Amino acid sequence: MNALVYHGPGKRSWEAKPKPIVQKPTDAVVRIEKTTICGTDLHILKGDVPAVTDGRILGHEGVGVVEEVGAGVSNFEKGDRVLISCITSCGKCDACKKGMYSHCADGGWILGHLIDGTQAEYVRIPHADNSLHHVPKGADEDALVMLSDILPTGFEVGVLNGKVKPGDTVAIVGGGPVGLAALLTAQFYSPAELIMIDLDDNRLAVAKKLGATQCVNSGDGKAVEKVMALTGGKGVDVAIEAVGIPATFDVCQDIVAAGGHLANVGVHGKPVSLKLEKLWIHNVTITTGLVDTNTTPMLLKTVVAGRLQPRQLITHDFRLDDLMKAYDTFANAAKEKALKVIIRRG
């Protein structure tokens, strides 16, 4: 089979690799029908995730068809159409019993990280019974790819950790796919204001269409002043960091109101400075997290029902053998006006 393979910071190739096989009774092998590229994949290519070793197949999102199952798999069989979760969970360890699937003793975020991932013709899924979801008949599978990672990530790590509630003023720093996923799912809780902050006017325009009440271009370095002006000097109840660089984390620290929440979603490859000398007296809660995907079944229902429409985040369409070109497009998102790309089997 062919796959997108990582060869160290800045190096990737589309090359032949052995087709995966069932290694344990709880495994499934899935034929990839649709996948995508995540901002985390770009962080890997920058060298921000050193646990990813040379030769790793990247990718942790996708929809496919079960090709083979191990003897211990009971929920799925050959031919089933499935949504692949970005998080692998055994369902039995202490962390899984707490709903913290990201800390599974034999899983967590391993696809495209510690084991080969989904940017390939086939992928092996450990603990298939707990790490796959049935695709409802007639569902929009392109939209469902957004449920592998970005929608539960924006919702769980941004909206839920940030304790968004009715009447809140919420600022999201970063209008990429995860930031926009947080924007979409924050609307479940009827916040009074949703402020999107980004450098890219195109992403701000998309955010406005998807429900942002205010948009702030941070290119002039005055995002904090603009947000404070919009909030009468009080700041925001919830600041969601969805980029993963020190500058955007600083913006969140400077705009969060007393008693507010700062929910970090971004993948950070460098240290940030914690302004504790300012925040200690403000009763501010700071949260971090890796998505657990325990909300995926609920989000799947809302997407199938049409209440949540993540298809709006898809801007580009590629064939699987054009993955190298898809990466170039996604990596130059501002120039290409790219959000999520769908990569489909030929």
Side-chain angles (χ1 to χ4, degrees), residues 14 55 106 280:
W14 178 248
D106 191 40
W280 76 269

Side-chain angles (χ1 to χ4, degrees), residues 62-76:
V63 167
V65 178
V66 174
E67 182 90 352
E68 183 183 1
V69 296
V73 176
S74 59
N75 292 340
F76 300 93

Side-chain angles (χ1 to χ4, degrees), residues 3-247:
L4 194 289
V5 183
Y6 171 78
H7 290 295
K11 300 175 183 177
R12 53 182 163 82
S13 64
W14 178 248
E15 62 185 75
K17 294 280 281 187
K19 181 181 174 182
I21 61 172
V22 167
Q23 297 179 15
K24 295 182 179 180
T26 51
D27 287 351
V29 173
V30 176
R31 183 180 78 238
I32 293 294
E33 295 295 319
K34 292 168 180 153
T35 185
T36 185
I37 303 169
C38 180
T40 304
D41 297 322
L42 298 185
H43 278 284
I44 291 171
L45 286 170
K46 290 177 184 176
D48 290 344
V49 190
V52 181
T53 55
D54 186 359
R56 176 69 61 230
I57 296 173
L58 296 185
H60 51 265
E61 302 161 275
V63 167
V65 178
V66 174
E67 182 90 352
E68 183 183 1
V69 296
V73 176
S74 59
N75 292 340
F76 300 93
E77 58 186 28
K78 183 175 181 178
D80 284 349
R81 301 192 76 84
V82 291
L83 166 67
I84 298 167
S85 174
C86 67
I87 298 295
T88 299
S89 58
C90 72
K92 298 177 181 180
C93 69
D94 288 345
C96 285
K97 288 178 179 178
K98 295 176 184 176
M100 293 175 61
Y101 303 148
S102 62
H103 290 272
C104 174
D106 191 40
W109 173 40
I110 57 174
L111 288 175
H113 177 208
L114 304 180
I115 68 171
D116 287 338
T118 61
Q119 290 169 9
E121 293 179 290
Y122 297 89
V123 63
R124 179 179 70 91
I125 304 296
H127 302 297
D129 277 340
N130 295 296
S131 307
L132 297 173
H133 301 270
H134 287 282
V135 171
K137 189 175 181 179
D140 180 350
E141 293 185 1
D142 287 4
L144 293 193
V145 174
M146 307 301 106
L147 281 168
S148 283
D149 183 357
I150 63 163
L151 274 170
T153 294
F155 182 52
E156 294 175 19
V157 188
V159 176
L160 293 185
N161 280 2
K163 305 291 184 186
V164 175
K165 60 185 185 300
D168 273 355
T169 297
V170 178
I172 302 169
V173 183
V178 171
L180 292 171
L183 174 69
L184 287 173
T185 55
Q187 293 172 65
F188 290 160
Y189 297 97
S190 300
E193 296 283 349
L194 279 167
I195 304 168
M196 180 61 76
I197 303 167
D198 200 276
L199 296 163
D200 184 349
D201 282 332
N202 175 65
R203 288 188 169 188
L204 293 174
V206 172
K208 193 74 173 177
K209 291 178 182 177
L210 297 183
T213 58
Q214 301 283 348
C215 291
V216 171
N217 189 307
S218 56
D220 58 4
K222 296 181 178 178
V224 173
E225 295 94 317
K226 292 174 182 177
V227 171
M228 296 308 285
L230 288 172
T231 59
K234 296 178 181 178
V236 301
D237 300 299
V238 184
I240 297 174
E241 199 287 331
V243 181
I245 60 174

